Amino acid sequence: MDALRHDDPARVGAYVALARLDAEPDSTAPERRFVVRDGDGRTLLARLPRPDTDPTRWAVEAEGARRLSVPGFLPVGEVGGGAAELPWCTGPYVPALPLPAALRAHGGPLPDPVVRALGAALARTLATAHAQGVAHAGLSPAAVLLTTDGPRLGCFGAVRAAAPDGVQRSGLPGLDSGCLAPEQAAGGRPLPPGDVYALGAVLAYAATGHTVPERDELPSFLREPVTACLARDPERRPQAYELLALLEPTAPTAAPTAAPTAAHEATVLDTATPSPSPSPSPGPRPIPLPASVVVALAHQSAQVLAAELPVPASRTRH
């Protein structure tokens, strides 16, 4: 968490901005995230598009995220904005570290058991989403928020928001090139295999500190899964539930019950409401976190609790 900069908004809708969730080095984050508070003392996480991206497309994805119910996705409770201000959305705040911040707090790549548990949790989340016909289309290290209750995925639809299908996405602001599947970089429609590609890059980052490592840099348990995820041919990548079985041997090996075939091609840009999951899925599961990351989360919590709303100018006059 970082102090507000001079070009950050003082308010987001009716909420007062307290701090930035992302530190300055995390320039690849596809959206701006702020800890905000309302007049009743409720603390929320607010998200806005980057100034160099299309706010209209970002707003469409924010509204799509609001309608979803995927355990492990960062929930969206309110979407706002309009002609006079940038679009924004809010959701519950819990102490959370973006994955790059977690690596900084730990002083380097995360321990193997943490990476394995993180990979299984994210694969489970994606498998649930894919069974509903939804592609996340925004997975990157900055999109992964570590909390004591388990990892949560933000930045929903960042690839779709960056540019419409058919438009080259390589080099666009807010997209992590190491996590962008080749077919998506070339303008292809974001589909589940692109999420799997991004997950392989995220796990490589968690284990080595960068998204495109040499195979020998990866811990042995990740070499096969990550190499498969990063295949240039989408057809050669595993599905999310298959990756879960590799990372968590006790996980079910059968594919989740899926919505009708047509729903697998749907995104929130095409349908108002994704098909509901035929059966409820468990929520995010806690994963083991290094003590250094737990301490950083506790420090953030203390900072937020101690933060005070700015005093209106009229009250400071004597």
Side-chain angles (χ1 to χ4, degrees):
M1 199 168 76
D2 251 8
L4 295 174
R5 304 187 321 192
H6 66 84
D7 56 345
D8 288 332
R11 302 186 70 87
V12 177
Y15 306 99
V16 176
L18 301 177
R20 298 163 58 95
L21 184 69
D22 297 288
E24 181 59 27
D26 302 332
S27 58
T28 59
E31 57 191 12
R32 296 184 293 164
R33 300 180 285 204
F34 299 93
V35 180
V36 301
R37 188 169 290 159
D38 67 10
D40 295 327
R42 291 188 309 147
T43 302
L44 301 168
L45 180 64
R47 294 177 272 164
L48 293 84
R50 292 166 54 114
D52 49 7
T53 56
D54 182 347
T56 302
R57 294 188 66 83
W58 185 93
V60 170
E61 294 300 332
E63 178 59 27
R66 186 185 68 81
R67 299 177 182 222
L68 291 175
S69 179
V70 178
F73 277 18
L74 198 63
V76 174
E78 182 182 6
V79 177
E85 64 175 340
L86 285 173
W88 50 266
C89 66
T90 61
Y93 165 77
V94 295
L97 285 184
L99 189 55
L103 265 66
R104 286 199 302 275
H106 187 61
L110 299 178
D112 288 358
V114 178
V115 176
R116 181 188 289 272
L118 175 63
L122 296 180
R124 183 180 298 107
T125 293
L126 291 179
T128 302
H130 295 169
Q132 295 186 28
V134 175
H136 180 275
L139 182 55
S140 70
V144 178
L145 299 181
L146 298 187
T147 79
T148 56
D149 295 327
R152 304 188 184 189
L153 273 181
C155 305
F156 177 79
V159 175
R160 292 185 292 260
D165 296 344
V167 174
Q168 189 86 12
R169 296 186 178 101
S170 296
L172 292 181
L175 295 182
D176 189 324
S177 60
C179 296
L180 194 59
E183 68 274 14
Q184 294 181 0
R189 185 180 190 183
L191 294 170
D195 287 348
V196 171
Y197 184 98
L199 179 54
V202 164
L203 294 183
Y205 176 86
T208 69
H210 45 276
T211 55
V212 191
E214 296 292 333
R215 179 182 169 88
D216 291 343
E217 294 180 80
L218 293 167
S220 58
F221 77 92
L222 271 188
R223 288 173 190 162
E224 179 184 347
V226 167
T227 300
C229 289
L230 297 182
R232 295 190 62 83
D233 181 356
E235 296 294 327
R236 297 179 65 85
R237 298 172 202 154
Q239 295 189 49
Y241 74 88
E242 295 172 322
L243 186 60
L244 172 59
L246 287 173
L247 295 170
E248 188 178 84
T250 58
T253 55
T257 303
T261 304
H264 281 277
E265 300 178 357
T267 74
V268 295
L269 292 178
D270 305 302
T271 56
T273 307
S275 301
S277 175
S279 59
S281 300
R285 303 179 187 177
I287 66 171
L289 294 176
S292 53
V293 173
V294 175
V295 168
L297 288 169
H299 179 64
Q300 182 188 116
S301 179
Q303 285 182 300
V304 171
L305 286 172
E308 297 182 357
L309 295 178
V311 178
S314 59
R315 295 186 186 177
T316 60
R317 296 171 184 163
H318 298 284

